[in-house]
Amino acid sequence: MFDREAVKEAFGRAAPVYEAHAHLQRQVRQHCLALGQAYWPSGKHILDAGCGTGALLTETGRLRLRWRITSLDLSLGMCAVAREKSGAVVNADAAAMPFADNSFDGLFSSLMLQWANNPPAVWREMARVLKPQGRVVLSTFVHGTLQELREAFSSLDGKPHVSHFVQTHEILKYAAEAGLTMTMAEQARIVNYYPDAIALMRSLQFIGATHKEAERGRGMMTLKQLAGVEQVYEKRFGTAEGLPATWQLLCLVLQKTCP
């Protein structure tokens, strides 16, 4: 389980600098946006669940997509940045959305689901607020993400230091149980390289993607502990390009088939 307040605070702190550092997140969002264009013509009302800084508003404006977008995010700091752009922005939890049933023609969600404490509840809410036959375009990171960092930290102590990412089959199960039928699925393995483990952890901090599980290790690590993590990371995974960090990406298009 994630510490909900820690999730809100981490993304709130990252909000002012998020867009300058979220390069992978931008690439994934743009890919999902291209998928959405195939299903949502001009004039459709789209919910951006987990909107972050509201970058979808910027992207759709650049592409001259005339959707009516409502943005939602758990982090008040992210919402504050998103409100600097046009469109309605709502500060709320995706597991308890303050919208009526059948409110939206489409639902867009890029890299939010992996931070949800209760993924089945999020899927049920997505299905509830979506109109019949409406489409969900969603991306999330799944099991195997940051596996190198996880293994390097396992040498430190018995406590989790890297967030848990669910298996693909669990995500598909939750979606189906909510009444959403998968019409397309894509999986990709993306590897980025860093000069050292500290550079990787700093990059995660800049985008708010630090470890937020309730049972995470607390307190600052010592320089000796950091050096130990670095040594294990380099020994097990080091390459001529640097230290790899793997992201296992899942992109889905789903349709609401129930009333």
Side-chain angles (χ1 to χ4, degrees), residues 34 69 81 96 118 146 198 240:
I69 296 176
V81 176
N118 188 347
L146 297 177
I198 292 176

Side-chain angles (χ1 to χ4, degrees), residues 80-131:
V81 176
R83 287 189 179 112
E84 296 173 1
K85 305 174 175 70
S86 60
V89 180
V90 179
N91 178 219
D93 193 331
M97 298 190 204
F99 307 119
D101 296 357
N102 306 322
S103 292
F104 300 97
D105 300 298
L107 192 148
F108 182 94
S109 183
S110 188
L111 302 180
M112 175 275 289
L113 188 65
Q114 68 267 11
W115 302 116
N117 246 350
N118 188 347
V122 173
W123 282 111
R124 288 192 295 270
E125 281 293 272
M126 288 181 177
R128 181 184 67 79
V129 303
L130 191 64
K131 293 179 181 178

Side-chain angles (χ1 to χ4, degrees), residues 129-165:
V129 303
L130 191 64
K131 293 179 181 178
Q133 308 307 312
R135 303 270 183 168
V136 175
V137 175
L138 175 143
S139 64
T140 187
F141 291 127
V142 294
H143 182 73
T145 292
L146 297 177
Q147 187 61 35
E148 302 93 346
L149 186 61
R150 183 187 307 279
E151 290 188 30
F153 267 117
S154 69
S155 65
L156 184 62
D157 53 36
K159 298 176 182 178
H161 291 271
V162 177
S163 297
H164 172 73
F165 296 89

